[in-house]
Amino acid sequence: MGYLTARSTPQTLLSPGYPFNYENNENCGWLISTPDPNKRIQVEVVSLQLGNWEAGECEDYLQLADGKDKDSARVMGTWCDPVQFQVKTSGQHLLVTFVSDAHVTGPGFALKYYHIHEYKSQCDPYGVRPLSVGATPIFVELPMYTSRLQR
């Protein structure tokens, strides 16, 4: 496993051999961390071109997991088809896993990573956020906070 430190300046992580084809039977992992507990890791996958996948099953894949180790990390997603996307961790660590099988290969992936400040509003102590499902918002009636503010 490789160990990388996220900084405020974007850095690049490439699959082995990128932009040329990676080898068969790759099994690579990286732990990206930020030492500051108030920072989160932002990842932008700028290129993802993996070998063929059949019947909706990923044979070669890129997986991102929110956490420090495989046992406790929450998988954010597993991708095998060409796509560009961004994700942000909920903590200080991100596990990146790249796996290829014994068949067709491709150029692989290129991603940028950096740390960002986790902003928590003093005006929103209860973490109230809008909730939407698809394109149609859902509004939920909640009890009002009735205590008086003390000056």
Side-chain angles (χ1 to χ4, degrees):
M1 173 159 315
Y3 297 92
L4 305 168
T5 301
R7 305 183 193 299
S8 58
T9 304
Q11 299 171 78
T12 302
L13 175 61
L14 304 173
S15 58
Y18 187 88
F20 305 104
N21 286 7
Y22 52 84
E23 297 292 324
N24 286 322
N25 302 310
E26 295 279 6
N27 191 347
C28 305
W30 299 268
L31 176 64
I32 302 174
S33 300
T34 180
D36 186 337
N38 295 316
K39 305 279 181 169
R40 301 298 174 252
I41 299 168
Q42 179 83 24
V43 173
E44 299 174 21
V45 175
V46 295
S47 178
L48 184 63
Q49 301 174 47
L50 304 183
N52 292 341
W53 58 286
E54 295 184 25
E57 295 293 322
C58 296
E59 294 178 350
D60 299 356
Y61 62 86
L62 172 68
Q63 183 177 79
L64 302 178
D66 192 351
K68 190 173 184 176
D69 57 62
K70 289 182 180 184
D71 296 330
S72 63
R74 178 184 60 87
V75 174
M76 302 168 83
T78 302
W79 295 270
C80 56
D81 50 344
V83 66
Q84 293 179 333
F85 60 91
Q86 293 184 11
V87 295
K88 180 181 83 170
T89 63
S90 64
Q92 294 173 253
H93 307 285
L94 175 75
L95 277 173
V96 178
T97 304
F98 173 65
V99 174
S100 70
D101 66 359
H103 304 294
V104 180
T105 65
F109 69 87
L111 61 82
K112 291 183 181 180
Y113 64 94
Y114 49 94
H115 69 213
I116 57 175
H117 187 73
E118 177 66 12
Y119 175 73
K120 292 184 181 174
S121 172
Q122 297 296 322
C123 298
D124 188 10
Y126 301 105
V128 177
R129 300 286 181 262
L131 172 68
S132 67
V133 176
T136 308
I138 296 174
F139 297 97
V140 180
E141 295 271 339
L142 298 175
M144 294 298 294
Y145 180 70
T146 57
S147 295
R148 291 179 163 281
L149 295 176
Q150 302 286 324
R151 288 188 188 242

